[in-house]
Amino acid sequence: MTVKTLQDLLNEGVDGRGVLVRSDLNVPLDDNGQITDPGRIIASVPTIEALVQAGAKVVVTAHLGRPKGEPDPKFSLAPVAAKLAELLGRNVQLAGDVVGYDALSRSEGLTDGDVLLLENVRFDPRETSKDEAERGKLAAALVELVGEDGAFVSDGFGVVHRKQASVYDVAKLLPHYAGTLVAAEVEVLAKLTENPERPYAVVLGGSKVSDKLAVIEALAPKVDTLVIGGGMCFTFLAAQGLSVGSSLLQEEMIETCKGLLERYADVIHLPRDIVVADRFAADADSKVVPANEIPEGWMGLDVGPESVDRFAALLTEAKTVFWNGPMGVFEFDNFAAGTRGVAEAIVTATGKGAFTVVGGGDSAAAVRALGLPEDGFSHISTGGGASLEYLEGKELPGISVLED
């Protein structure tokens, strides 16, 4: 695969040129519209900063949340623009639209080293359209903002698994390059798929088996240890014939889980004890019970201490670790110990020389929310879904379109 990088673009020269950057600025907001985890913005800064320092007129496009293809104030990129300006130490203009009058007039007024952030690209229904011609029209309008001598830098790894106008179609209209973040992510994930050092351990959590089924089937034959926690573990426990009380359960996936347990019994490791609660709440009554003794009417919200110890024993001896998905409802203090314990075991493995990757999404959020050292992992990905699809062996449209 031959993909030109940001450094190639800088070597060619960007002084005075317009450069369109597709960043991943999809950060979580609280009810007051405040950013609760700026990780993705922070990760996007190096590419933008390099272009600014080289004298480019930088136009950034990104999305936030899932608006319905029309402007929605609660999904405005205004708080993102403010945080990006703070991190860059310079003014960041925010266009009032995606490719309309305000975006065009602001882009025409840019001088060397200026940064313009377009409003949420998903306010335009053409961004996610299945109609190639419709996406192409939006892509052409984005190109107009940087001019015919412009360039496109793909730096939003969290969206490269989507065939969308600002990710895929734009790259077909402009000279295209992989940004610092995208290049680093692909390099890291290649290490997980191309002869990883063993023992190789994978930790999967999250709520639904169906969300992780493809990656389980892709990785189970290739790894030495596959730890399963989070809400998805209860469907596996049910597949063993155990009662799971009122815990999250995908009944339609039970037979599939039975098959996985039969094929990979020596690889898959499930919790031995569970922290159960009488209701889904931060202040719920809770207790630790064996995995085969979950009381009727109680729900599992975390893996128990014995499970953490067992998982940690496996993870601390691994040479390669990939983690995607929390072990429990880490947002509630009473149900965060499982996620913290597993994460700390991975940090220990890193300290012993292992190559460890946090697969973005809720896992990355948990690292920051629980105050764990980010440098305790070899890499924290910005793209949960994209990371999983890469490991499943799927083609990522936003990467393949960059190939020359």
Side-chain angles (χ1 to χ4, degrees):
M1 180 174 75
T2 304
V3 174
K4 287 187 176 181
T5 66
L6 174 65
Q7 190 57 54
D8 292 321
L9 174 58
L10 296 175
N11 291 343
E12 293 167 16
V14 294
D15 190 23
R17 292 175 65 189
V19 178
L20 180 68
V21 180
R22 195 353 169 149
S23 296
D24 182 2
L25 306 176
N26 187 26
V27 292
L29 305 176
D30 63 19
D31 292 338
N32 297 316
Q34 300 297 308
I35 297 168
T36 58
D37 179 6
R40 285 178 170 170
I41 304 175
I42 294 169
S44 298
V45 166
T47 288
I48 298 170
E49 179 68 34
L51 290 166
V52 164
Q53 294 300 326
K57 302 171 184 178
V58 183
V59 178
V60 181
T61 182
H63 77 280
L64 178 66
R66 297 182 177 179
K68 308 293 186 181
E70 59 185 27
D72 184 336
K74 74 178 181 180
F75 293 120
S76 171
L77 286 174
V80 173
K83 186 63 178 180
L84 186 58
E86 175 191 326
L87 293 169
L88 289 170
R90 65 176 56 240
N91 180 53
V92 173
Q93 298 183 57
L94 175 66
D97 48 30
V98 180
V99 290
Y101 176 81
D102 193 51
L104 189 58
S105 60
R106 286 177 183 271
S107 67
E108 290 174 345
L110 293 176
T111 59
D112 299 358
D114 282 352
V115 180
L116 169 65
L117 175 61
L118 305 178
E119 188 52 284
N120 192 332
V121 71
R122 290 189 182 172
F123 284 177
D124 191 314
R126 297 173 295 180
E127 165 69 358
T128 58
S129 175
K130 301 298 183 185
D131 187 321
E132 187 174 345
E134 286 297 305
R135 294 199 316 270
K137 290 176 183 177
L138 175 56
L142 289 167
V143 170
E144 187 178 356
L145 301 179
V146 294
E148 294 181 357
D149 68 337
F152 172 62
V153 176
S154 177
D155 205 42
F157 184 75
V159 289
V160 293
H161 57 317
R162 307 295 188 195
K163 187 178 277 191
Q164 297 177 346
S166 68
V167 178
Y168 178 81
D169 300 271
V170 163
K172 298 196 291 185
L173 301 177
L174 285 172
H176 41 263
Y177 307 81
T180 305
L181 184 58
V182 163
E185 294 274 12
V186 172
E187 181 181 350
V188 164
L189 290 172
K191 288 185 180 180
L192 295 177
T193 54
E194 299 168 9
N195 197 29
E197 190 173 356
R198 294 183 177 279
Y200 181 8
V202 169
V203 182
L204 296 178
S207 58
K208 295 182 178 180
V209 177
S210 54
D211 292 342
K212 303 287 172 67
L213 178 60
V215 78
I216 292 172
E217 292 183 329
L219 292 179
K222 303 174 183 177
V223 304
D224 302 291
T225 298
L226 178 55
V227 168
I228 293 178
M232 62 189 288
C233 78
F234 299 107
T235 304
F236 278 92
L237 293 174
Q240 292 181 322
L242 304 180
S243 171
V244 297
S246 58
S247 305
L248 187 64
L249 178 64
Q250 283 188 284
E251 292 189 14
E252 75 280 7
M253 298 298 296
I254 289 177
E255 288 303 314
T256 299
C257 291
K258 281 183 182 178
L260 289 168
L261 290 170
E262 289 171 2
R263 281 183 284 160
Y264 305 111
D266 59 333
V267 172
I268 293 176
H269 297 268
L270 299 173
R272 290 182 177 175
D273 59 344
I274 300 291
V275 182
V276 296
D278 61 350
R279 57 196 170 91
F280 187 84
D283 60 348
D285 287 337
S286 62
K287 58 186 176 181
V288 178
V289 299
N292 61 351
E293 295 180 18
I294 298 176
E296 194 64 36
W298 289 65
M299 62 181 67
L301 296 185
D302 197 11
V303 299
E306 182 184 345
S307 300
V308 171
D309 289 345
R310 181 163 164 263
F311 294 163
L314 294 166
L315 296 172
T316 54
E317 296 305 314
K319 295 296 184 184
T320 304
V321 181
F322 174 73
W323 169 35
N324 182 279
M327 295 293 98
V329 187
F330 71 90
E331 296 89 347
F332 297 160
D333 289 345
N334 289 341
F335 308 104
T339 300
R340 179 185 296 279
V342 165
E344 289 175 343
I346 298 173
V347 170
T348 298
T350 310
K352 295 168 66 174
F355 179 67
T356 61
V357 178
V358 180
D362 287 342
S363 309
V367 168
R368 290 184 273 268
L370 297 176
L372 297 163
E374 293 191 39
D375 59 1
F377 307 89
S378 304
H379 180 74
I380 298 179
S381 177
T382 56
S387 297
L388 291 178
E389 291 198 14
Y390 187 101
L391 294 176
E392 289 166 22
K394 290 184 179 179
E395 181 179 276
L396 304 182
I399 298 297
S400 60
V401 76
L402 302 178
E403 298 176 12
D404 291 317

